[in-house]
Amino acid sequence: NIPVRLVEENQEMGTIGSLYLMKDILNKPFIMLNGDLISEPPYKSMLSYFERENASVLIGVKQHHEISQYGVVKFNKDGKFSKIIEKPKRKDWISTGIYIIDPSVINLMRGTPMDTPDFIKLLSEEKDKLILTYHIGEKWLDIGNLDDYDRAYGLIKGWEES
């Protein structure tokens, strides 16, 4: 029994801008998810951390490992060859498209189209706003394209077995 309300955009509002259209509806912290992902984040502990720290926004994050298909060439300050690294591994913390947002920050959007990274940057410039991150674990898949969707099917089967 979760109530659902649809809000229609009159113009494209970006990945987060349409929240402004719901500013009068949203009156307590809420979870926002990108629609092209499959995950099992620890929502209760995320929300508990968010509330305990009195945050404005919490960004779900995870580590992403990637191996370059190529040898990477490094240069020194003079533009001369320094070294070559064959197919280096790269490890980054990435945004998972899972957020907890306090509705008090929605007015910063001012009703203009906005993508989530731009909103987070805008929020980070506000001195009294706290942005937190939370490691959501490894059960997360982006299924934004057909290859990812096919790969997700096999991975989810493995999750079910574990």
Side-chain angles (χ1 to χ4, degrees):
N1 283 343
I2 298 174
V4 175
R5 289 180 78 174
L6 298 178
V7 176
E8 188 173 342
E9 297 177 350
N10 292 326
Q11 65 177 13
E12 283 191 27
M13 295 296 288
T15 56
I16 199 169
S18 60
L19 288 181
Y20 188 81
L21 302 175
M22 296 182 278
K23 67 183 183 348
D24 297 329
I25 299 168
L26 300 168
N27 56 15
K28 59 185 174 181
F30 60 92
I31 297 170
M32 182 182 86
L33 306 170
N34 287 0
D36 61 350
L37 57 92
I38 297 173
S39 65
E40 287 186 17
Y43 291 119
K44 287 182 182 178
S45 58
M46 291 171 73
L47 188 57
S48 175
Y49 178 54
F50 177 87
E51 290 173 340
R52 185 174 62 250
E53 298 297 323
N54 198 29
S56 298
V57 170
L58 180 141
I59 305 168
V61 299
K62 74 176 286 296
Q63 282 201 316
H64 178 72
H65 304 267
E66 195 168 56
I67 299 173
S68 175
Q69 298 180 59
Y70 310 102
V72 174
V73 177
K74 299 287 184 176
F75 301 92
N76 62 24
K77 292 177 186 175
D78 300 326
K80 295 182 179 168
F81 172 83
S82 171
K83 63 182 174 180
I84 188 167
I85 306 164
E86 185 61 23
K87 298 181 181 174
K89 292 181 183 177
R90 180 177 171 162
K91 182 169 55 171
D92 294 302
W93 285 97
I94 62 166
S95 169
T96 61
I98 301 169
Y99 307 89
I100 299 177
I101 302 172
D102 186 281
S104 67
V105 299
I106 293 174
N107 281 328
L108 292 172
M109 295 175 191
R110 294 188 172 84
T112 58
M114 187 173 290
D115 288 329
T116 306
D118 299 323
F119 176 66
I120 300 294
K121 181 181 182 308
L122 177 69
L123 196 60
S124 72
E125 294 166 356
E126 297 288 317
K127 304 244 185 286
D128 62 337
K129 304 301 181 203
L130 177 61
I131 301 169
L132 299 175
T133 60
Y134 194 97
H135 182 222
I136 65 153
E138 297 307 311
K139 290 186 177 180
W140 176 89
L141 295 170
D142 182 324
I143 56 169
N145 64 53
L146 194 53
D147 289 340
D148 291 337
Y149 184 82
D150 288 340
R151 200 178 103 233
Y153 180 78
L155 287 172
I156 290 170
K157 284 290 204 190
W159 290 353
E160 291 171 349
E161 295 167 5
S162 63

